[in-house]
Amino acid sequence: MASMGILLFFTAIYIRTGNTNAGFVNVECQAEKVGQYGQQSLLQCVVKTTQDLADLEIRVVTWTKEDRPLLVFHEGKNKPQPGYSFADPSWNDRNRNVSLLITNTAVEHEGVYKCTVITNSGDGEDSTSLKVTAKYNKPTIHSNPETVPLNTDVTLMCDSDGGYPKGQLRWFDENNTEWTKSSQMEANQTESGLFNLSSKLSLLKGSIFTNYTCKVFNASGNKEEEATFEVQNAQNKDPHTEEVLGPASKIVTPVVVIGSLIVGLALLIYRKRSQHDHRGPPTCDYDDGDHQERDKTCQVSPA
Ligand SMILES: *[C@@H]1O[C@H](CO)[C@@H](O)[C@H](O)[C@H]1NC(C)=O
Ligand SMILES: *[C@@H]1O[C@H](CO)[C@@H](O)[C@H](O)[C@H]1NC(C)=O
Ligand SMILES: *[C@@H]1O[C@H](CO)[C@@H](O)[C@H](O)[C@H]1NC(C)=O
Ligand SMILES: *[C@@H]1O[C@H](CO)[C@@H](O)[C@H](O)[C@H]1NC(C)=O
Ligand SMILES: *[C@@H]1O[C@H](CO)[C@@H](O)[C@H](O)[C@H]1NC(C)=O
Ligand SMILES: *[C@@H]1O[C@H](CO)[C@@H](O)[C@H](O)[C@H]1NC(C)=O
């Protein structure tokens, strides 16, 4: 603030001493800059004159953001806040390139920057705005429960962090059909301003797809990263269940191992108990849930 006061004082002096060339000096800045999080950002501004002024001397340069001085040059001295400097490290009062360099771009650097220049031949000012982006990291997916028994509902969780601005997580099955409507997304902003995205996809028991892809899209709708999760059905892990139960419920050959007899017997008792709601011999081992869904899955699975 003290430096702003000094600046105003100087400005007053220059205006009062009457600048006959006022209007010949312009500051021209690039309108908008998109900076990458964690990288340098260059805010380009140059001093232009409408006439050829070979002896143009820059007396004051101030770079401010929301009235906070970031870099002030006056009386031949250069006072930058940490993290800001002239783009040209050997900048001097004859150098018309007054661009500002931000060393390590962070989310808080977003905003409008004003550059004011006072010369021996007039003064000018312009502003430029900085937008910040950060790419999201490759998502990670996990399921709850970890291994998915066929007859339970399951939730897939997808997480992606380190991005800015707020993006979106979307779900697709192996047929590339979108399931995002069945999901719920949450976005949390970390201290650094970056977003953590997390999305839950609820799968009903007997869902017929095995591979689900979670894609992270940036704020302008471009896909950045993706990850695919293979649902580990208990069925996939233990294909023997199918082989044992299938034949045992249909045929009784003379050569039957005692093991499968026991299984057959158990199944018979089981079928009796739930006979009223079974149309045929079950090929899968279920004990509750929606029958339509169950039948569909049982037909799909023996393949
Ligand atoms: C200003 O100087 C910087 C650093 O040397 C350079 O990258 C940039 O291109 C210059 N801008 C103009 C308009 O000359
Ligand atoms: C996958 O997509 C094709 C073509 O759109 C469709 O015919 C098929 O039924 C879909 N498969 C599943 C399992 O939904
Ligand atoms: C964001 O995610 C990281 C790990 O991915 C975690 O350590 C951090 O606590 C999360 N922050 C918030 C605010 O959710
Ligand atoms: C977001 O914050 C809430 C409350 O602090 C927390 O319960 C949730 O797990 C966080 N989500 C993410 C994606 O970090
Ligand atoms: C599911 O993903 C696995 C591993 O990436 C792949 O081997 C398999 O072919 C995929 N299945 C389908 C139906 O896309
Ligand atoms: C989104 O990604 C595209 C392509 O990589 C990029 O051009 C665009 O600037 C990004 N937008 C944001 C807001 O990050």
Side-chain angles (χ1 to χ4, degrees), residues 4 14 46 64 71 75 84 96-97 129 160 162 192 261 281 293:
M4 279 304 282
Y14 280 104
V46 290
T64 58
L71 186 156
E75 289 187 314
Y84 303 92
R96 299 182 185 193
N97 179 350
S129 85
S160 176
S192 61
L261 240 182
E293 285 249 288

Side-chain angles (χ1 to χ4, degrees), residues 9-35:
F9 175 65
F10 269 80
T11 313
I13 287 179
Y14 280 104
I15 290 169
R16 223 164 342 120
T17 51
N19 213 318
T20 46
N21 290 329
F24 291 124
V25 172
N26 280 320
V27 176
E28 288 180 13
C29 299
Q30 194 184 14
E32 187 182 290
K33 168 79 187 176
V34 176

Side-chain angles (χ1 to χ4, degrees), residues 133 164-165 218-220 222 224:
T133 66
Y164 188 86
N218 75 13
S220 30
N222 291 86
E224 294 199 327

Side-chain angles (χ1 to χ4, degrees), residues 244-251 264 267 271 281-283:
V244 173
L245 290 183
S249 60
K250 264 190 233 139
I251 42 160
L267 185 76
R271 272 172 59 201
T283 52

Side-chain angles (χ1 to χ4, degrees), residues 30-35 40-43 128-132:
Q30 194 184 14
E32 187 182 290
K33 168 79 187 176
V34 176
Q40 293 188 339
S41 294
L42 179 64
L43 304 183
T128 177
S129 85
L130 176 69
K131 289 206 169 0
V132 175

Side-chain angles (χ1 to χ4, degrees), residues 159-161 188-191 195-196:
D159 293 287
S160 176
D161 61 11
N188 283 357
Q189 211 163 0
T190 64
E191 252 173 63
F195 284 96
N196 276 7

Side-chain angles (χ1 to χ4, degrees), residues 240-253 256 260 264 267 283:
H240 297 290
T241 322
E242 227 38 75
E243 286 161 21
V244 173
L245 290 183
S249 60
K250 264 190 233 139
I251 42 160
V252 186
T253 51
V256 159
S260 46
L267 185 76
T283 52

